[in-house]
Every structure is written in C-alpha cells, then in structure tokens.
C-alpha cells in the first residue's frame, strides 16, 4: 500500500522484494511470525496490486525472527542478520536495475538497515534502530565516482522544510 501512490504517479512497476521487509523483532515488534499471514494474502487484496510485476520473484526471503527483544544502537552482533538481509536485497535490486536508480519503499528500520548495509562507515549509531524516521521520510543514498555509497539524507521530509536534512 505504501508503494502504490509512487508507482501510480511515476508509472513504475512494483517489485515485491521480501528482503526489504520491516525488522522482524520477536517480543518487541511482533509476538509471533507475521510472514505466513502476509504470504497468505491475496495479491488482489493489496492496494497497489495492478502495479505489481508478477514476473519478479523475490531474491531474499527473510526468516523470523531477525532478533528477539529490543534492538539497541551499536549492537553489531544483533544487527548483523537484518543488515545482511537488507544488504543482499539491495545488491539484487541494484543488479536488476543495471546502473539505473532504484527506489525502495519501506518502513522505519528499512532506512537504517539499507544505509547500514551500503555505507556503514557513514551511518552513525544515533540513527540505528530504534531511532525512527518520520512517516513518509526519505533516505537518499548515492553512489560516487569511486563506486562507494554515501548518504545524502536520512528520514528527510523536504516538503515540510527546505533542504534534505533529518527532522
């Protein structure tokens, strides 16, 4: 449902990549595995179903849970599973794009883990989960001439204030 307005406005297909799913935190964000219920949903029940590319098959399937309990900023050991998952999903999406830009539509921790996977040295622990981006926040990460990734903004809401700074 989050991707539908963007897909409609830009006339883009939606590739459902499960590797970008929200953090699967048992006894914190979830009391049980949400994946079976999500997988059981009819595609036609999804708001953006007419934009979904049915030829795309997810490359990264998450396994519940990513972590148990509250995740703390800087806890590299417990962050490793969701970081690996988001990194693998980003790698696949970038390969599929063949040099073009990609747009990842996700929720709170997706911003954290994609940035942590692509440019960990530039991702301060103050932005680690459970830090939360505002609703509809935008995180922009660009590739420089040397092939390294760098953040332009994290959780920005440029329609609220000029520029691309976190709020």
């Amino acid at each position: 449902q989050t991707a539908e307005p963007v897909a409609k406005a830009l006339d883009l297909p939606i590739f459902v990549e499960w590797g970008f799913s929200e953090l699967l935190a048992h006894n914190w964000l979830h009391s049980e595995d949400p994946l079976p219920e999500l997988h059981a949903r009819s595609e036609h029940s999804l708001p953006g179903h007419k934009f979904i590319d049915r030829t795309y098959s997810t490359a990264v399937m998450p396994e519940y849970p990513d972590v148990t309990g509250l995740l703390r900023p800087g806890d590299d050991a417990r962050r490793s599973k969701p970081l690996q998952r988001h990194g693998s999903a980003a790698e696949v999406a970038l390969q599929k794009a063949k040099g073009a830009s990609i747009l990842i539509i996700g929720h709170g921790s997706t911003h954290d883990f994609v940035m942590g996977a692509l440019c960990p040295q530039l991702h301060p622990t103050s932005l680690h989960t459970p830090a939360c981006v505002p609703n509809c926040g935008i995180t922009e990460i660009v590739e420089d001439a040397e092939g390294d990734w760098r953040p332009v903004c994290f959780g920005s809401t440029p329609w609220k204030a000029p520029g691309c700074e976190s709020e």
Side-chain angles (χ1 to χ4, degrees):
Q1 81 191 40
T2 310
E4 182 195 23
V6 174
K8 186 175 182 179
L10 300 177
D11 192 30
L12 293 172
I14 297 172
F15 299 100
V16 178
E17 177 50 64
W18 287 89
F20 291 122
S21 75
E22 180 62 86
L23 179 67
L24 300 171
H26 182 70
N27 288 338
W28 177 28
L29 301 175
H30 304 281
S31 57
E32 61 184 41
D33 186 351
L35 295 172
E37 184 177 334
L38 292 171
H39 286 291
R41 286 186 66 179
S42 161
E43 197 172 276
H44 293 286
S45 73
L46 302 174
H49 70 89
K50 63 185 173 186
F51 296 100
I52 294 174
D53 183 326
R54 287 161 184 77
T55 66
Y56 180 77
S57 182
T58 193
V60 181
M61 187 56 67
E63 292 181 14
Y64 185 84
D66 285 325
V67 297
T68 298
L70 184 66
L71 195 57
R72 304 257 182 238
D75 186 345
D76 294 339
R78 295 184 68 230
R79 289 173 55 79
S80 66
K81 185 176 178 184
L83 276 169
Q84 174 63 41
R85 172 166 60 87
H86 285 81
S88 296
E91 184 179 315
V92 168
L94 289 164
Q95 287 173 354
K96 181 166 180 53
K98 298 177 183 162
S101 295
I102 63 171
L103 176 63
I104 300 167
I105 308 289
H107 295 273
S109 67
T110 302
H111 293 253
D112 168 20
F113 293 115
V114 170
M115 189 163 144
L118 292 178
C119 45
Q121 70 286 359
L122 300 174
H123 186 39
T125 57
S126 63
L127 300 180
H128 288 186
T129 301
C132 201
V133 298
N135 287 337
C136 301
I138 297 171
T139 295
E140 183 178 1
I141 304 169
V142 297
E143 187 177 18
D144 65 24
E146 291 79 41
D148 295 322
W149 294 97
R150 65 175 177 79
V152 173
C153 58
F154 185 87
S156 172
T157 52
W159 52 90
K160 289 184 178 179
C164 195
E165 295 103 25
S166 294
E167 292 187 43

